[in-house]
Amino acid sequence: MLRIPNKNHALCLSISFSPASPMAATMLSLSSPLPPSSHPPCSSPPPPPPRALLEIQRSRIIACLRTSEGQLALEASRAALRGGVSVVEIVMSTPGVLEVIKELVDEHPSSVIGVGTVLDAADARKAINVGAKFLMNPCTVMDILFDVQDDEVLYIPGVMTPTEVLSAYKSGARIVKVYPVSILGGHKYISALKKPFPHIPMVASQGIAMDSIGRYIQEGASAVVLSDAIFEKEAMRQRNFDEIQRLARLASFQGLGAGKHQGQAASWSRFEVKKGI
């Protein structure tokens, strides 16, 4: 009796034959492996999405800060975080931006701090090294998309046209930033883009006012980027951090409220389809 292990199925085949039989010679000279299994190999489950993506989709608000003073950027960001905003983006050109990001990350470990307008992979890596959890651009930088984004760091490339939306998504972007959205048509442009691309998450960015947050979310935006709406120019000039905190609280409530209304609308739409209404 000869026992032949089948590596593909962890099974042994037992064959009985007499030593003088032709089968014996054939089996003893058998040296080629058994054919591979026709069953597809088991694949590991995909990694969970980055925490930054989950928080952006939950809160609906990204507070974007651009200023010419590092200390002002730090204090204004603190005020926005005290107001309830949980995702803050600081533009890469801000003086001392890496020190600001590191301090905010250390002070607010449960918040999501990122960097904006980071235009090359070297700067992106510097930001990640001090704790940035997402990178956002007005354009798509392929070096960042291919070489820097990973399971823990989210890259949000900027797009404008339908071709750019699909190209960025197919290249590995988990979410895209539609920029400059107000010039392109505002919430109506988001609505138009979501019709062919309902499966691609989009952030609306540029010129968005506080009272239009809900409309952008209702039209399909996963989140909106707010700059002057939170870091209002006069409040920044006067270093009125109480006012910035107040605006951040208002934006946070509006974002969460719009998200709930969108979820209810989506549930009702599914109900209508199911019932044939």
Side-chain angles (χ1 to χ4, degrees):
M1 178 180 291
L2 180 64
R3 296 174 63 82
I4 304 174
N6 184 330
K7 295 180 180 178
N8 296 305
H9 297 286
L11 178 67
C12 286
L13 305 177
S14 299
I15 305 173
S16 300
F17 51 82
S18 63
S21 69
M23 179 63 76
T26 301
M27 295 303 295
L28 291 174
S29 65
L30 183 63
S31 60
S32 61
L34 293 175
S37 169
S38 60
H39 298 289
C42 295
S43 58
S44 58
R51 184 168 70 91
L53 178 59
L54 297 176
E55 187 57 29
I56 287 169
Q57 292 177 320
R58 184 199 71 82
S59 70
R60 308 285 186 167
I61 302 294
I62 301 174
C64 173
L65 176 58
R66 182 191 299 270
T67 180
S68 59
E69 299 178 43
Q71 187 61 33
L72 179 57
L74 180 61
E75 295 297 338
S77 297
R78 286 169 172 164
L81 291 164
R82 287 196 303 271
V85 167
S86 58
V87 182
V88 173
E89 169 204 0
I90 302 175
V91 174
M92 192 71 193
S93 60
T94 302
V97 63
L98 299 180
E99 290 78 9
V100 172
I101 290 173
K102 185 177 188 308
E103 194 152 351
L104 290 173
V105 168
D106 291 343
E107 292 176 356
H108 302 272
S110 62
S111 299
V112 174
I113 312 299
V115 63
T117 319
V118 52
L119 301 179
D120 61 67
D123 282 344
R125 292 189 180 94
K126 291 176 185 176
I128 292 169
N129 288 340
V130 296
K133 293 303 180 186
F134 71 94
L135 314 161
M136 188 154 60
N137 269 333
C139 57
T140 300
V141 181
M142 287 301 181
D143 286 348
I144 298 177
L145 185 57
F146 292 149
D147 301 332
V148 180
Q149 176 179 249
D150 59 24
D151 293 342
E152 295 183 2
V153 176
L154 176 68
Y155 178 48
I156 309 175
V159 298
M160 186 171 70
T161 66
T163 298
E164 291 173 354
V165 170
L166 187 59
S167 176
Y169 182 73
K170 286 197 168 185
S171 296
R174 301 178 178 98
I175 187 171
V176 298
K177 179 175 90 168
V178 181
Y179 177 91
V181 72
S182 67
I183 294 174
L184 295 170
H187 58 79
K188 292 182 180 179
Y189 189 65
I190 293 293
S191 177
L193 283 178
K194 289 297 287 188
K195 288 176 182 176
F197 307 122
H199 58 294
I200 301 180
M202 300 179 191
V203 171
S205 177
Q206 185 267 326
I208 299 175
M210 192 77 70
D211 59 4
S212 63
I213 294 172
R215 193 61 183 271
Y216 275 97
I217 302 302
Q218 289 166 15
E219 297 291 0
S222 296
V224 297
V225 176
L226 298 181
S227 184
D228 291 348
I230 291 177
F231 303 107
E232 195 268 332
K233 286 183 171 62
E234 189 61 20
M236 291 288 288
R237 189 183 69 79
Q238 295 182 358
R239 285 172 161 74
N240 187 345
F241 302 122
D242 289 341
E243 175 65 5
I244 292 170
Q245 180 175 336
R246 185 189 72 81
L247 293 171
R249 182 178 297 110
L250 179 59
S252 179
F253 286 155
Q254 294 229 18
L256 292 173
K260 290 178 181 177
H261 291 323
Q262 188 191 51
Q264 291 168 357
S267 298
W268 176 247
S269 295
R270 288 192 294 270
F271 174 78
E272 287 178 328
V273 170
K274 185 175 181 181
K275 294 296 185 180
I277 297 175

